[in-house]
Amino acid sequence: MLYGRPLAPPPAAPNMSKINLLNLTPADANATLEAFFRDRGEPAYRARQVARRLWQAPVRSFADITDLPAALRDALEQSFEIPSLLISTQQISADGTRKFLFRLADGEAIETVSIPDADRMTLCISSQAGCALQCAFCATGKMGFTRNLEAYEIAAQVRELLLLDPPIAATNIVFMGMGEPLMNWRAVDLALTILNDPAGLGIGARHITVSTVGILPGIVALGERPEQFRLAISVHAPTDELRRGLMPINTKYPLADVIEAAKSFDRRVTFEYVMLGGINDRPEDVVQLARLAQECKAFVNLIPLHPGGAGDFTPTTADGIRRFSASLRRSGISVAIRKSRGKDIAAACGQLRVERHRRRRPIAAEYDGGVEVA
Ligand code: SAH
């Protein structure tokens, strides 16, 4: 179901003279507020009163902090901002998956998908507007890269859904929306803190997964964080020759180096493997993939190809995926087949943005494949 609201004007651009409280760690935001209230001779508890409205019990504006005297709300308004991302479109699938298109202050559009499953609510979030990596089967890659998101724009995807009525409260986060998170490490690093900090969104590190094509310095940086954030690597092919053809980044970061990085990561890694009929689902592929997964003690997630704009690729049949999976399991590999969700709304990142933008200006490429999450 498509809510056909016209594309809304972009929200007001962040004001450079005001401090954006959402682009700070919760500790820094709290310290900033403490200093602000101290300067005004206000008691220290005021800072906590405001800080908890950033992420824990969020409000849209200072005016909504009604337990604060109006004069203080006005004073906050003069010095700080808590910018919104505007939901310009949303789609709801029969299976409860919802897909949101957010408009950023500069008019850029990014996507977020919420996926309910039993008592979990997984949010698939974006880290960049577009993507530079050009993986052959991915819709976002065909858009090209526009810009990195700022930390607050990443974390605010989660915040905005908390502000809905009724709220959508994430229990799990996957960086599997638009963009390559480890090519935007500075912002992702801060966003991870905001997502995980109990004074921020309070989502357990083990419930936050960063998915990457294998950007080596980023994997090292993620591994150096003390929290147990999870790492998923888009492997998609068990040899350099095959992987190069599917993922141009393999020239810069070849498979062997990515596997080494996965081995040195001190937590268990997940391999993502999108099933491309006749391309990477052959008997020799399963043998080679099993060897790599054994080396890294990796968990393998087999992903049904989201059909459509994935070039000339054909999805491996459901039976084919089951056989591939059984074969990996016989080699001792832990493996899961990712459930396809939101098929009726094409819940593949890249698609909604394309639908909406197509109305504004023509684009060259067909964007109807994309990122499948579950
Ligand atoms: N850039 C990161 C994160 C975003 S993509 C990465 O590549 O890991 C999240 C996952 O969706 C990746 O494994 C990606 O390869 C996969 N994906 C992309 N296009 C897909 C499609 N058409 N069908 C299924 N999965 C796809």
Side-chain angles (χ1 to χ4, degrees), residues 47-104:
R48 276 303 306 148
Q49 207 178 349
V50 175
R52 61 182 289 279
R53 309 317 294 270
L54 299 177
W55 303 104
Q56 292 167 304
V59 285
R60 269 186 214 290
S61 70
F62 296 115
D64 292 341
I65 311 181
T66 47
D67 51 347
L68 207 66
L72 286 183
R73 284 184 256 158
D74 288 346
L76 285 167
E77 190 68 57
Q78 302 305 312
S79 302
F80 303 113
E81 58 172 356
I82 42 176
S84 302
L85 310 184
L86 210 100
I87 295 176
S88 66
T89 312
Q90 65 164 304
Q91 292 175 321
I92 305 181
S93 159
D95 70 13
T97 301
R98 286 164 76 162
K99 180 158 181 161
F100 300 87
L101 185 71
F102 284 111
R103 282 268 270 166
L104 308 179

Side-chain angles (χ1 to χ4, degrees), residues 79 284 329 347:
S79 302
E284 63 265 39
R329 207 164 277 132

Side-chain angles (χ1 to χ4, degrees), residues 137-138 175-177 179-180 211-213 234 236 272 274 306 370-371:
F137 44 82
C138 178
F175 281 79
M176 295 184 187
E180 167 50 50
S211 176
T212 180
V213 293
S234 292
H236 301 327
E272 289 164 280
V274 63
H306 195 285
V371 179

Side-chain angles (χ1 to χ4, degrees), residues 1-3 5 7 60 85-93 96-104 108-116 121-126 156-170 177-178 345-356 373:
M1 188 191 326
L2 176 67
Y3 286 64
R5 262 197 286 155
L7 206 58
R60 269 186 214 290
L85 310 184
L86 210 100
I87 295 176
S88 66
T89 312
Q90 65 164 304
Q91 292 175 321
I92 305 181
S93 159
T97 301
R98 286 164 76 162
K99 180 158 181 161
F100 300 87
L101 185 71
F102 284 111
R103 282 268 270 166
L104 308 179
E108 271 310 314
I110 54 161
E111 297 177 352
T112 306
V113 182
S114 66
I115 306 144
M121 178 61 79
T122 301
L123 292 199
C124 175
I125 62 172
S126 296
Q157 294 167 57
V158 184
R159 184 180 194 273
E160 290 294 336
L161 300 196
L162 275 175
L163 286 165
L164 295 179
D165 185 18
I168 296 178
M178 296 165 69
I345 58 164
C349 286
Q351 299 192 328
L352 186 56
R353 175 182 145 129
V354 165
E355 270 173 33
R356 304 302 299 178
V373 292

